[in-house]
Structure formats: C-alpha cells, structure tokens
Amino acid sequence: QLVESGGGLVQAGDSLRLSCAASGRAVNSYGMGWFRQAPGEDREFVAGIIQHPSSTKYADSVQGRFTIARDMRKNMVYLQMNSLKSEDGGTYYCAAKLYKGSDWSFWGPGTQVTVSS
C-alpha cells in the first residue's frame, strides 16, 4: 500500500528527498505522514499533511528544515529534507491515515537515511 524510496548516505548539511508511493486503500487517505526511528529509539512523528483543509504539521526538531508535500494525481507523498543533521538519521516510514480521527492505518517498510558528521 505504501512504498518509500530516496534514502541514502549523506553528509551533514546536505539535502535529501524521500518519496512515498501509495496504492490500494492508502490512495486518497485523509492524511499522510512521515515518521522515523533511530536505532534503540522509539518511532517518532516527523511531518504530516492533510488535504481538506490543506494543512501540514512538523516536529519541532525539523521545523524549517523539512517540507512535506503531496501529489494527489500521482498518489505520491514527499519529504524534502534540508540542512540534515546527524540526529536526523534513521529509518523513515511513510504512513497513511484513512479518516479524520483514525489511527495511522498503513505503513511502508521504511527507507534508511544515514547522515555522517
């Protein structure tokens, strides 16, 4: 239902764009989001977007550096990550929320982001 891509190894200060392709029931979801999990840490919310009304939300740690965007025609969600820091490293997951007030119902397998300092 969700497949992430675009992860890789970058240096601190670099930029990276993650992509998430939605299919099946994840298409036209009420909300889409990005989460990340570093080794030994809990999974944490990074950014989210809803369409009606259009709204985005970011974790304080990425505010001003990351941008989430959604292309409804292509069933894609993107996470543009700028000024990357070593603490941004981890596995990034795309998630879909089917309805307002529902849980994050669908998850992708994740894509790895490593930021070297």
Side-chain angles (χ1 to χ4, degrees), residues 34-58:
W34 286 94
F35 292 74
R36 69 187 180 193
Q37 186 170 22
E41 303 287 334
D42 292 333
R43 188 176 301 187
E44 64 174 350
F45 172 81
V46 175
I49 184 168
I50 60 172
Q51 294 301 123
H52 304 289
S54 180
S55 176
T56 58
K57 184 177 180 180
Y58 297 93

Side-chain angles (χ1 to χ4, degrees), residues 26-106:
V27 172
N28 296 322
S29 295
Y30 168 77
M32 300 291 292
W34 286 94
F35 292 74
R36 69 187 180 193
Q37 186 170 22
E41 303 287 334
D42 292 333
R43 188 176 301 187
E44 64 174 350
F45 172 81
V46 175
I49 184 168
I50 60 172
Q51 294 301 123
H52 304 289
S54 180
S55 176
T56 58
K57 184 177 180 180
Y58 297 93
D60 290 343
S61 59
V62 307
Q63 181 75 47
R65 299 187 297 121
F66 290 13
T67 303
I68 187 171
R70 185 176 184 179
D71 187 333
M72 298 290 287
R73 293 176 301 172
K74 296 182 179 179
N75 300 324
M76 298 289 294
V77 178
Y78 305 98
L79 184 67
Q80 177 66 42
M81 306 186 293
N82 298 328
S83 302
L84 282 162
K85 305 176 181 179
S86 57
E87 53 263 41
D88 292 320
T91 302
Y92 281 70
Y93 299 92
C94 178
K97 182 188 291 272
L98 290 183
Y99 309 107
K100 182 179 180 179
S102 68
D103 294 332
W104 294 98
S105 306
F106 297 102

